[in-house]
Amino acid sequence: MAEPKTKYDRQLRIWGEQGQEALEKASICLLNCGPTGSETLKNLVLGGIGSITVIDGSKVEVGDLGNNFMLDETSVGQSKAKCVCAFLQELNEAVKAKFIEEYPEALIKTNPSFFSQFTLVVATQLVEDSMIKLDRICREASVLLIFARSYGLTGFVRISLKEHAVIESKPDHFLDDLRLNNPWPELKRFAETIDINVPDPVVHKHTPYVIILVKIAEEWVKSHGGSLPSSREDKKEFKELLKTKMVAMDEDNYKEAIEASFKVFAPHGISSYLQKIINDSCAEVDSNSSDFWIMVAALKEFIANEGGGEAPLEGSIPDMTSSTEHYVNLQKIYQAKAEADFLVVEERVRNILKKIGRDPNNISKAKIKSFCKNARKLTVCRYRLIEDEFNSPIQPELQKYLTDEDCSVAVGFYILLRAVDRFAANYNSFPGQFDGEIDEDISRLKTTAVGLLGDLGCNGSTLTEDLINEMCRYGAAELHAVAAFIGGIASQEVIKLITKQFVPMRGTFIFNGIDHKSQLLSL
């Protein structure tokens, strides 16, 4: 077997050793191992998840061979859970794999405490009633839960848990934390030691843009009543001022300064989103508070006191045109400020822990350091109970989706995926499941869908005939291509939840295989 660092090299570059360690400690329970469930687990097994438990009470039929790569001819007649488990184990011997030959619905009904042993449950192909019951069970046991289902050319993925706090949200685009609009004393003092009007052309073109902007901003403030540029005219004038300081047209550092000038215009202080987090009721901590909220409480104190309205400095600077000496000195100044901020936050965390009767060393230095570095990017996700969503969807959103041309197919599939479960409860089969009944099933499904819309407060709303006909044409089939796509989305969300990196999706993800579109519905 390959060494873990070599084996998981590509993914380690994405979520690092801490993320990989979290995956290797996680235990996953899969409910139903048809193609959607098998494809989800395949991705997690290849990624090095700690252990998997496959729950399925069915036997392999000949039809299963056409849509599930985790089965072959020798599997026919055998336990599906056993066969899929064996195939998945072959993909990665380091993963502990076991199976239980039982129908998930029975387990949900008779043994709810069974699920508390897992880190996360992936529930595939469950009907509405079982989804509601499982959601309650997992929330009470603080077990992460993901629902996934493929149905003909459509499918959905939905995360359900009380709260998920992300420190390493890793947004694609985020403003560098350079504090050009609010430089601290050490940065100001360093800028004062550098003459940006130096006659030497080589030195002039190797002055880092951070210093140029700090000095020009200071010059601007002195001549404009103590305030930074705010109006469009002011900003334009500020850029013109930068251009006048250029000695030659090929000075990349000044071009960088002009391009980065918007960082000087950025408002002081923290974002409204971070303000919302530090004002959250959970930031009023007690002995039962999570590490995350204890650190948020310390952050709140820091911002109000030592931070002067700002979050701890991140401490890194981007690449820029500069002499090596200036760049290294600048780097040290940013790192020193970040370290000083971290030490203050760390002390506040220790004091809070002591105050609430917990071990002051309960939260590691590394964790607090990561928190400080990512303080501006913290994210908290909360999810509605699936029962609440099903019974009381957010009316304005639902009405908007039903009337919006871009969302009508996605919300139509959402309604119909629920309507087919009602249909199955009433008629003991899914629409179109048996030959010869399709015309009757179309009429019944239409009536069921209209009834469901009425129950959701959308009287008078209808779904297109084409969409209803499509759902009946599917006959509850799991197509491998759709199952693989849904499984890919579900496994990606599993990794986000377990590593606590990147922001998991909020809402119900609907895949529309007819138009090759996907949408996230917030209901």
Side-chain angles (χ1 to χ4, degrees):
M1 282 178 64
E3 284 292 317
K5 280 191 178 179
T6 309
K7 188 177 183 179
Y8 303 126
D9 174 63
R10 283 173 179 251
Q11 62 205 51
L12 280 165
R13 298 177 196 207
I14 300 169
W15 52 72
E17 287 187 26
Q18 274 184 310
Q20 187 62 33
E21 189 181 337
L23 284 177
E24 289 172 17
K25 284 180 178 175
S27 57
I28 305 287
C29 175
L30 173 70
L31 304 186
N32 291 316
C33 58
T36 308
S38 299
E39 287 292 333
T40 305
L41 270 200
K42 175 204 75 180
N43 300 328
L44 297 172
V45 165
L46 289 170
I49 208 81
S51 66
I52 58 167
T53 302
V54 180
I55 316 286
D56 197 311
S58 63
K59 303 287 185 189
V60 178
E61 297 175 8
V62 174
D64 293 321
L65 305 181
N67 68 357
N68 196 332
F69 286 158
M70 303 298 147
L71 303 169
D72 63 17
E73 290 85 353
T74 62
S75 308
V76 176
Q78 293 189 57
S79 157
K80 193 185 283 185
K82 180 183 178 182
C83 295
V84 167
C85 195
F87 271 87
L88 288 169
Q89 180 75 82
E90 282 183 31
L91 296 175
N92 192 344
E93 290 176 10
V95 176
K96 293 170 187 165
K98 65 177 182 176
F99 68 92
I100 295 173
E101 196 176 350
E102 190 169 347
Y103 287 100
E105 292 81 2
L107 207 54
I108 291 166
K109 197 173 181 181
T110 61
N111 190 9
S113 61
F114 169 82
F115 298 99
S116 62
Q117 65 186 292
F118 300 104
T119 309
L120 183 145
V121 174
V122 179
T124 68
Q125 307 305 104
L126 288 187
V127 295
E128 196 167 299
D129 182 51
S130 295
M131 287 172 70
I132 289 169
K133 287 175 185 168
L134 182 63
D135 191 20
R136 281 202 215 102
I137 291 164
C138 288
R139 281 184 184 235
E140 280 172 24
S142 297
V143 173
L144 306 171
L145 175 62
I146 290 185
F147 294 107
R149 187 177 188 180
S150 61
Y151 194 103
L153 289 174
T154 186
F156 75 84
V157 177
R158 161 75 147 82
I159 294 169
S160 191
L161 56 142
K162 287 177 192 171
E163 179 185 283
H164 181 70
V166 188
I167 294 172
E168 293 183 64
S169 61
K170 301 185 179 181
D172 289 336
H173 305 288
F174 213 81
L175 198 63
D176 295 319
D177 192 13
L178 298 176
R179 305 284 164 92
L180 301 180
N181 58 351
N182 188 16
W184 63 99
E186 289 80 4
L187 181 59
K188 279 183 177 177
R189 280 199 292 272
F190 178 60
E192 284 165 12
T193 65
I194 298 170
D195 180 9
I196 59 169
N197 299 313
V198 63
D200 186 333
V202 176
V203 176
H204 194 268
K205 66 163 64 174
H206 286 90
T207 303
Y209 80 76
V210 166
I211 300 302
I212 295 168
L213 287 173
V214 167
K215 289 184 81 80
I216 300 295
E218 193 176 6
E219 188 180 312
W220 175 279
V221 166
K222 282 177 184 171
S223 60
H224 288 78
S227 60
L228 287 166
S230 55
S231 67
R232 182 179 288 186
E233 291 73 23
D234 281 354
K235 291 172 185 178
K236 192 176 176 184
E237 193 183 329
F238 185 85
K239 287 181 181 180
E240 290 302 321
L241 180 59
L242 284 168
K243 286 177 186 174
T244 63
K245 301 290 182 181
M246 293 176 75
V247 173
M249 294 304 293
D250 65 340
E251 292 189 314
D252 289 337
N253 57 336
Y254 276 85
K255 289 175 186 174
E256 288 169 0
I258 293 163
E259 282 174 17
S261 59
F262 69 94
K263 296 173 185 178
V264 174
F265 316 144
H268 284 209
I270 59 174
S271 68
S272 58
Y273 190 79
L274 182 55
Q275 187 71 54
K276 195 176 172 185
I277 290 175
I278 64 171
N279 289 342
D280 194 288
S281 58
C282 291
E284 302 299 320
V285 296
D286 57 32
S287 57
N288 297 316
S289 295
S290 68
D291 290 357
F292 176 82
W293 287 110
I294 287 165
M295 290 189 288
V296 167
L299 173 66
K300 185 176 184 175
E301 291 179 5
F302 173 87
I303 291 168
N305 296 286
E306 299 86 356
E310 300 271 14
L313 188 77
E314 286 180 27
S316 57
I317 58 172
D319 192 18
M320 62 189 80
T321 303
S322 169
S323 66
T324 305
E325 184 188 355
H326 283 342
Y327 188 82
V328 169
N329 286 334
L330 204 54
Q331 211 169 34
K332 284 177 181 174
I333 288 164
Y334 274 86
Q335 286 170 352
K337 167 69 171 161
E339 181 67 18
D341 286 356
F342 153 69
L343 290 171
V344 173
V345 174
E346 184 190 22
E347 189 179 352
R348 289 193 171 276
V349 168
R350 307 284 177 226
N351 290 339
I352 290 169
L353 284 167
K354 199 172 178 181
K355 193 173 162 186
I356 61 175
R358 281 172 57 180
D359 179 357
N361 297 310
N362 209 231
I363 303 175
S364 70
K365 262 182 179 288
K367 198 168 187 178
I368 301 169
K369 190 159 262 191
S370 173
F371 180 87
C372 289
K373 189 178 180 182
N374 294 285
R376 296 186 310 135
K377 305 164 193 169
L378 301 176
T379 305
V380 176
C381 306
R382 292 186 174 116
Y383 299 85
R384 294 183 79 197
L385 261 167
I386 205 135
E387 184 175 16
D388 291 347
E389 180 187 310
F390 284 171
N391 293 338
S392 311
I394 301 163
Q395 272 300 321
E397 291 295 315
L398 183 56
Q399 295 286 0
K400 185 184 82 178
Y401 293 141
L402 285 164
T403 53
D404 187 335
E405 196 178 317
D406 292 333
C407 301
S408 58
V409 175
V411 79
F413 274 136
Y414 174 84
I415 297 295
L416 287 169
L417 282 163
R418 294 188 56 195
V420 296
D421 287 348
R422 279 197 182 189
F423 184 105
N426 291 333
Y427 302 108
N428 295 317
S429 69
F430 287 99
Q433 200 166 0
F434 299 111
D435 294 338
E437 297 178 12
I438 192 144
D439 290 338
E440 190 179 0
D441 283 356
I442 287 170
S443 175
R444 286 171 170 174
L445 182 59
K446 186 176 182 178
T447 305
T448 307
V450 169
L452 176 59
L453 282 165
D455 291 348
L456 297 176
C458 299
N459 292 307
S461 297
T462 54
L463 303 175
T464 65
E465 297 277 345
D466 286 350
L467 218 51
I468 293 165
N469 294 348
E470 271 292 292
M471 288 301 279
C472 290
R473 191 171 72 85
Y474 299 154
E478 277 186 87
L479 306 178
H480 183 263
V482 176
F485 184 82
I486 295 293
I489 297 293
S491 55
Q492 174 180 278
E493 297 308 306
V494 168
I495 288 167
K496 288 179 188 176
L497 291 175
I498 290 172
T499 60
K500 293 191 174 179
Q501 295 181 26
F502 303 95
V503 180
M505 60 191 182
R506 286 169 273 194
T508 301
F509 172 89
I510 300 286
F511 175 61
N512 164 9
I514 300 169
D515 300 322
H516 304 144
K517 289 180 180 176
S518 53
Q519 271 168 315
L520 205 56
L521 304 178
S522 301
L523 295 165

